[in-house]
Amino acid sequence: SNAAALGSNIIGVGVDQELISAVPSHNPTFVARNFTDAEITYCRVQPSPASSFAARWAGKEAVFKSLGVKSSGAAAAMKDIEILNNADGVPSVQLHGEAKLKAEERGVVKVLISLSHSETVAIAFAQATTSA
Amino acid sequence: SNAAALGSNIIGVGVDQELISAVPSHNPTFVARNFTDAEITYCRVQPSPASSFAARWAGKEAVFKSLGVKSSGAAAAMKDIEILNNADGVPSVQLHGEAKLKAEERGVVKVLISLSHSETVAIAFAQATTSA
Amino acid sequence: SNAAALGSNIIGVGVDQELISAVPSHNPTFVARNFTDAEITYCRVQPSPASSFAARWAGKEAVFKSLGVKSSGAAAAMKDIEILNNADGVPSVQLHGEAKLKAEERGVVKVLISLSHSETVAIAFAQATTSA
């Protein structure tokens, strides 16, 4: 008989924080290198674009950590981690390139993410899940 | 044969941070509108009531995020998210009203929460789980 | 027929933050009492040992919270929570002593952890999981 596989396993979690002033979102080269077009479009129309870019940057770092991948800040393929909000404002993660391959190798089917920022600090939490 | 459904699925996570000074817990109208009687009783006897109120405020925001509900701060029904500590000091979440309905719609059976505060900042993490 | 038990249940989450300046990692007695030899060896060779010790301290607090154990800072057996990084830089938790017993009582088989620090603040997230 077939037993349906139910439930999921968390294989990694990631937390990150960034000083908003430390993420150079006023630098077009930095932005173009590390954020996707859709992310840039989203952040530019937020009340505080600098905060939104910093929160996404923290999110990308948190996703790398949840995947068990050593990130080296701008040296990592930050653009491979795309974080977009749905119509309800809930952020979701799309993986591309090397990050997607690494996730697939580990059986990851979903990465959950949450972002938060105060006036000065952005924090993010990510959780990588396999189907069981 | 019957295979028992085991395990659980995380449907959402939420992280939030608040400057303790930004949560007006000295304002009785604000407190009465956003915290339940049991929460108020708990926070009032803590070493730093302002920190405890701010941590719970961050917790309520984190729970909304974990449920995939757009919160708008005081405009949301913050009182529908009740965070109380058990005898071991472990915080647990009780949902009421609209928040409870929204959780039930999504199949959420449990929301786990953790809170932390420093001298100036409160942070919270929440995780919404379905039975699988 | 046998249906393999799949999936896992999260029984608790923990978040913690510490001001790096508030963790007295320059004090050898404090360090020897609260960190294992392997943790000390690791932290001492990091770019900022004070930040690494503070992040681990936050991590130990977060693990206690995820286990539903009331921690009282230095009064708790912080050394029972050992956080070491693997070759990829991913931190993992080993439990010893009372913390291990408490985890076993609750059926915890794994505690996931993530750490982060800025110039001034260390934060940590932990998640305690049972096999289902």
Side-chain angles (χ1 to χ4, degrees), chain A residues 1-4 6-8 10 87-90 110 112-119 121-127 129, chain B residues 1 3-19 65 68-70 102 123-127 132:
Chain A
S1 70
N2 292 325
L6 295 170
S8 57
I10 315 299
D88 289 326
V90 178
K110 193 171 194 181
L112 292 171
I113 187 98
S114 184
L115 309 175
S116 172
H117 56 78
S118 67
E119 293 287 309
V121 178
I123 61 175
F125 172 77
Q127 184 171 279
T129 307
Chain B
S1 70
L6 296 169
S8 57
N9 283 303
I10 314 299
I11 62 132
V13 295
V15 68
D16 195 65
Q17 63 182 336
E18 302 291 339
L19 281 173
K65 290 180 178 180
V69 177
K70 191 179 270 182
K102 181 78 180 179
I123 62 175
F125 172 77
Q127 184 171 280

Side-chain angles (χ1 to χ4, degrees), chain C residues 1-129:
Chain C
S1 71
N2 291 327
L6 295 169
S8 57
N9 283 303
I10 315 301
I11 61 131
V13 295
V15 67
D16 195 64
Q17 63 181 337
E18 303 289 339
L19 280 172
I20 294 169
S21 62
V23 177
S25 58
H26 54 278
N27 177 336
T29 305
F30 171 82
V31 168
R33 181 177 178 184
N34 293 295
F35 297 88
T36 68
D37 290 348
E39 288 177 322
I40 296 168
T41 300
Y42 174 85
C43 290
R44 291 256 186 257
V45 299
Q46 295 307 300
S48 167
S51 301
S52 296
F53 278 116
R56 262 161 184 73
W57 182 269
K60 289 164 188 259
E61 289 280 5
V63 171
F64 273 120
K65 290 179 178 181
S66 76
L67 296 175
V69 177
K70 191 178 272 182
S71 158
S72 321
M78 300 300 267
K79 220 169 171 170
D80 282 355
I81 314 288
E82 184 173 40
I83 304 174
L84 295 173
N85 286 29
N86 71 14
D88 289 327
V90 178
S92 70
V93 176
Q94 293 291 326
L95 301 178
H96 308 284
E98 288 291 321
K100 187 178 184 181
L101 290 175
K102 181 79 180 180
E104 286 173 353
E105 275 173 30
R106 304 201 62 191
V108 172
V109 295
K110 194 171 193 180
V111 183
L112 293 171
I113 187 97
S114 184
L115 309 175
S116 172
H117 56 79
S118 67
E119 294 286 310
T120 55
V121 177
I123 61 175
F125 172 77
Q127 184 171 279
T129 308

Side-chain angles (χ1 to χ4, degrees), chain A residues 18-27 30-31 35 50 53-55 57-58 122:
Chain A
E18 302 290 340
L19 280 173
I20 293 169
S21 62
V23 177
S25 59
H26 54 277
N27 177 335
F30 171 82
V31 168
F35 296 89
F53 278 117
W57 181 270

